[in-house]
Amino acid sequence: MWGLLLALAAFAPAVGPGLGAPGTSVLGLAPPAATEARGSTLAPQSSPVQPPAGKSNGTSEQHVRIRIVKKKKIIMKKRKKLTRPGPLVTAKPPVTTTPSGALDPLEEQEPGCPPLGLESLRVSDSQLEASSSQSFGLGPHRGRLNIQSGLEDGDLYDGAWCAEEQDTEPWFQVDARHPTRFSGIITQGRNSVWRYDWVTSYKVQFSNDSQTWWGSRNRSSGTDAVFPANSDPETPVLNLLPEPQVARFIRLLPQNWLQGGTSCLRAEILACPISDPNDLFPKAPELESSDPLDFRHHNYKAMRKLMKEVNEKCPNITRIYSIGKSHQGLKLYVMEMSDQPGEHELGEPEVRYVAGMHGNEALGRELVLLLMQFLCHEFLRGDPRVTRLLTETRIHLLPSMNPDGYETAFRRGSELVGWAEGRWNHQGIDLNHNFADLNTPLWEAEDDGLVPDTVPNHHLPLPAYYTLPNATVAPETRAVIEWMKRIPFVLSANLHGGMNDFSYLHTNCFEITVELSCDKFPHENELPQEWENNKDALLTYLEQVRMGITGVVRDKDTELGIADAVIAVDGINHDVTTAWGGDYWRLLTPGDYMVTASAEGYHTATRSCRVPFEEGPVPCNFHLTKTPKQRLRELLAAGAKVPPDLRRRLERLRGQKH
């Protein structure tokens, strides 16, 4: 269940391989030429794989290799933590190095196995070990793909595992806890605002008991395989093993790293679980769901197809519409789900889910697509909870606010997209920070004592700069703002985003931001478990729209609803307004409230409304009486003559003013 559910009241320039010797990275200085660190330690293996021959001290017999690298002039600049996306970068093909220095390309392979779970935290901190660590904040538990550091280096949350500077034979180890078929490794350098550290090559070893180790071998020469690693801190680099290995432990042994830096890396391991023939280990829990849903990642074309299939399966409760287009012309599709799709029913609240504000945060997108499938399937089954939800609520699901960014991320794949690629829209705009700042003017007005008499505490207008033709406002942002204005949303959640303050101050809608996972773009095999983790929360949050009061504000004489009437609750400095039919919804926690309804041309009315602990909403209706001035306006507008007594009263009032 989401923690917020109940709270309703990089890049450095690419460089060649560097020394494995200790040193401190200094910004602005070019690193000198590179040499290779000492070889790794190999022990005879006790596994089905033939062990390599080795000396008694565990060091493999090899000729000394010397590699000469031409010195490059490098200019290092201080970088921001997050930068605009660059062109698509493809990971290097996996290669190994022979004693003669020739490169031995591996055959084209598909990764095959899914990630073991370092990035998603399925692999716990206790399963990660290392030869040494510079500090606790740079311990092996921080060696997870895409993990981010804070603004301060040296704290408890640094952005990689880093070995001690004097550690000349560093290693980083993962305990899978079960016999596992290892097939590949993905690495990154250290995420840091101030330093540049990354490994440029490494070897790989395996073990069943963490004592006896064997290495990954070059198929053509039989020598230790040396894998090329990173040339910048952030780009994930995939290496597939020449031959998949079955073991419990896997160990990465950095060979080269950036000159002037230290051995630092973040990693993910590609691995397939296997059954233990001796039943020595308990079986690992499987990631699955009993719901018959499409657990895949969907690009734009596949997403449209899926939404169309849901609409055709449940035509009586669904409607697909577009709220606009992305910068590249992709439509921003919304799935509406209700018993009367296409119309606002008087007294029925409107709720929305928005996902994909950052294109590379794919989990929210897939959860919204899974939710629409689930609601359709369960409605057809007659599930009472879903039936009530769709009968009493109008739900709007926007799975992809940033389809351009998602297409970029999708092409790279779930494990290679990195932390930032695809985050922005095609213009390079971060939609998370593209909504107008309405907090600052409201806070300033509150400090000056202008709220709510001079400056309203709700429906704040857009700032003048934001409406200029040359304002930097993405088409996706404008489309969502106009969508907010057209529909009287009451409750919303963004999976993930940052328009919640804007939504609350510019419209009636209460919105939260939901941070879903440590892994922005989880592997497809993790989607069933992610769905099970979030399914009930997604449904429960939609049901929270029934918490509080609801009603209709009507004209006492005509019984017609009054649009834009203001609903104020004593003690809460934020009002809401009625929709065009006069209906309103006010989210409130259980308690007794004094509620006031007011509208231009009407006398205000106040009444007490009690919200019980039982599921609501509680009816709280109002009938407003027109003021004499409003009655006169309406009479004159209708061409009626003013009664003599009223005319004399008006003349006396005018005389008193003079």
Side-chain angles (χ1 to χ4, degrees), residues 163-190:
E164 291 180 348
E165 293 183 355
Q166 62 268 28
D167 187 350
T168 56
E169 296 185 355
W171 50 262
F172 174 81
Q173 176 179 306
V174 182
D175 177 5
R177 289 185 173 169
H178 304 277
T180 303
R181 180 175 177 267
F182 297 109
S183 65
I185 301 100
I186 302 171
T187 58
Q188 289 172 308
R190 176 181 179 179

Side-chain angles (χ1 to χ4, degrees), residues 24-351:
T24 302
S25 175
V26 181
L27 296 180
L29 297 181
T35 58
E36 187 170 69
R38 285 205 287 170
S40 61
T41 301
L42 289 176
Q45 68 177 27
S46 57
S47 77
V49 181
Q50 182 64 32
K55 294 183 179 180
S56 58
N57 62 4
T59 305
S60 58
E61 295 185 47
Q62 296 182 17
H63 296 291
V64 176
R65 290 178 287 167
I66 300 178
R67 185 166 56 176
I68 300 175
V69 179
K70 186 176 180 181
K71 182 176 179 180
K72 298 180 181 179
K73 183 177 181 181
I74 298 173
I75 299 175
M76 288 185 167
K77 298 180 180 179
K78 184 187 291 187
R79 62 185 175 89
K80 295 182 179 179
K81 190 172 179 68
L82 214 53
T83 60
R84 288 179 55 175
L88 187 66
V89 179
T90 304
K92 297 178 181 179
V95 295
T96 57
T97 306
T98 65
S100 63
L103 294 179
D104 182 19
L106 299 180
E107 297 176 3
E108 289 276 341
Q109 300 181 55
E110 290 295 326
C113 291
L116 188 62
L118 276 73
E119 182 178 11
S120 66
L121 301 183
R122 281 207 320 276
V123 172
S124 67
D125 290 351
S126 63
Q127 293 174 252
L128 305 176
E129 294 185 42
S131 57
S132 65
S133 301
Q134 290 184 19
S135 65
F136 179 81
L138 292 169
H141 65 291
R142 303 297 292 174
R144 302 174 182 272
L145 193 72
N146 284 320
I147 205 164
Q148 301 292 290
S149 69
L151 293 177
E152 298 291 336
D153 279 352
D155 61 13
L156 298 179
Y157 306 101
D158 259 315
W161 161 70
C162 291
E164 291 180 348
E165 293 183 355
Q166 62 268 28
D167 187 350
T168 56
E169 296 185 355
W171 50 262
F172 174 81
Q173 176 179 306
V174 182
D175 177 5
R177 289 185 173 169
H178 304 277
T180 303
R181 180 175 177 267
F182 297 109
S183 65
I185 301 100
I186 302 171
T187 58
Q188 289 172 308
R190 176 181 179 179
N191 176 263
S192 171
V193 177
W194 310 110
R195 291 182 57 91
Y196 301 101
D197 298 293
W198 59 80
V199 170
T200 58
S201 67
Y202 60 88
K203 294 181 180 181
V204 184
Q205 293 180 343
F206 309 93
S207 175
N208 289 319
D209 57 9
S210 77
Q211 301 298 316
T212 303
W213 295 85
W214 71 95
S216 180
R217 313 288 283 183
N218 190 331
R219 282 187 290 188
S220 62
S221 64
T223 58
D224 294 342
V226 179
F227 299 91
N230 301 88
S231 57
D232 66 62
E234 298 298 333
T235 305
V237 174
L238 165 66
N239 280 294
L240 300 179
L241 299 176
E243 295 287 348
Q245 299 290 311
V246 175
R248 174 177 169 178
F249 298 89
I250 183 171
R251 180 178 283 185
L252 308 185
L253 302 98
Q255 302 296 294
N256 297 349
W257 46 90
L258 180 68
Q259 175 71 33
T262 53
S263 175
C264 298
L265 61 79
R266 294 173 285 167
E268 181 61 86
I269 307 299
L270 302 184
C272 293
I274 63 171
S275 59
D276 178 17
N278 299 316
D279 292 325
L280 297 178
F281 302 94
K283 186 177 180 181
E286 296 183 2
L287 305 178
E288 58 184 14
S289 171
S290 60
D291 295 324
L293 309 177
D294 185 1
F295 293 105
R296 295 181 298 129
H297 286 295
H298 298 80
N299 63 6
Y300 181 74
K301 183 178 179 180
M303 180 190 73
R304 289 196 310 171
K305 180 181 179 183
L306 177 64
M307 294 177 72
K308 185 174 183 292
E309 290 172 351
V310 173
N311 176 243
E312 291 173 346
K313 186 177 180 180
C314 294
N316 295 329
I317 60 166
T318 62
R319 179 177 72 100
I320 301 173
Y321 65 96
S322 171
I323 62 171
K325 293 183 178 181
S326 69
H327 185 261
Q328 288 193 298
L330 302 181
K331 291 184 178 180
L332 308 181
Y333 286 112
V334 176
M335 175 69 78
E336 177 192 341
M337 306 194 76
S338 173
D339 61 338
Q340 296 291 332
E343 63 179 88
H344 171 72
E345 297 181 71
L346 189 71
E348 187 168 284
E350 312 258 1
V351 189

Side-chain angles (χ1 to χ4, degrees), residues 431-653:
L431 303 182
N432 186 38
H433 302 290
N434 199 226
F435 289 85
D437 175 20
L438 302 182
N439 293 308
T440 300
L442 179 64
W443 292 336
E444 291 175 349
E446 286 179 338
D447 291 341
D448 296 336
L450 302 177
V451 179
D453 297 327
T454 305
V455 176
N457 61 14
H458 63 96
H459 288 82
L460 272 65
L462 294 174
Y465 75 87
Y466 201 80
T467 61
L468 296 175
N470 61 346
T472 306
V473 183
E476 298 90 342
T477 307
R478 291 193 187 277
V480 169
I481 292 175
E482 292 303 314
W483 184 40
M484 291 178 178
K485 293 178 180 179
R486 286 196 305 271
I487 298 175
F489 290 113
V490 181
L491 184 63
S492 174
N494 198 310
L495 320 175
H496 144 84
M499 64 186 194
N500 45 321
D501 290 344
F502 177 86
S503 174
Y504 190 56
L505 296 177
H506 192 59
T507 72
N508 282 342
C509 189
F510 182 94
E511 179 170 307
I512 64 171
T513 294
V514 179
E515 302 284 356
L516 288 167
S517 171
C518 293
D519 191 346
K520 292 185 176 187
F521 206 130
H523 191 272
E524 283 185 352
N525 82 321
E526 297 176 15
L527 293 179
Q529 186 61 53
E530 292 290 359
W531 166 247
E532 291 299 322
N533 292 344
N534 291 280
K535 174 175 64 175
D536 189 66
L538 288 166
L539 297 173
T540 303
Y541 186 74
L542 293 175
E543 293 167 338
Q544 302 311 298
V545 77
R546 298 198 289 259
M547 179 186 293
I549 60 175
T550 184
V552 181
V553 180
R554 302 180 188 273
D555 184 299
K556 187 176 181 180
D557 297 328
T558 66
E559 287 293 326
L560 296 176
I562 302 173
D564 297 320
V566 177
I567 305 298
V569 179
D570 285 1
I572 299 178
N573 192 24
H574 182 80
D575 304 336
V576 298
T577 58
T578 58
W580 50 84
D583 47 346
Y584 78 92
W585 306 264
R586 185 63 173 91
L587 300 175
L588 294 170
T589 55
D592 294 316
Y593 299 92
M594 295 302 296
V595 185
T596 299
S598 60
E600 186 178 356
Y602 291 87
H603 292 293
T604 61
T606 301
R607 58 169 295 187
S608 174
C609 298
R610 169 171 287 187
V611 179
F613 284 91
E614 292 77 19
E615 188 176 351
V618 175
C620 194
N621 298 305
F622 291 89
H623 284 83
L624 302 186
T625 304
K626 291 187 179 73
T627 62
K629 190 174 182 180
Q630 178 65 19
R631 292 181 185 278
L632 179 59
R633 286 199 193 101
E634 292 179 0
L635 287 172
L636 294 176
K641 293 182 179 181
V642 180
D645 59 334
L646 181 56
R647 185 169 57 250
R648 287 192 294 270
R649 283 183 61 189
L650 291 172
E651 289 173 354
R652 284 198 301 270
L653 289 172

Side-chain angles (χ1 to χ4, degrees), residues 375-395:
L375 291 175
C376 171
H377 181 266
E378 294 302 302
F379 181 82
L380 295 178
R381 287 183 61 247
D383 179 83
R385 183 183 188 185
V386 170
T387 300
R388 183 185 180 192
L389 194 59
L390 294 176
T391 301
E392 299 181 0
T393 315
R394 191 181 180 206
I395 302 168

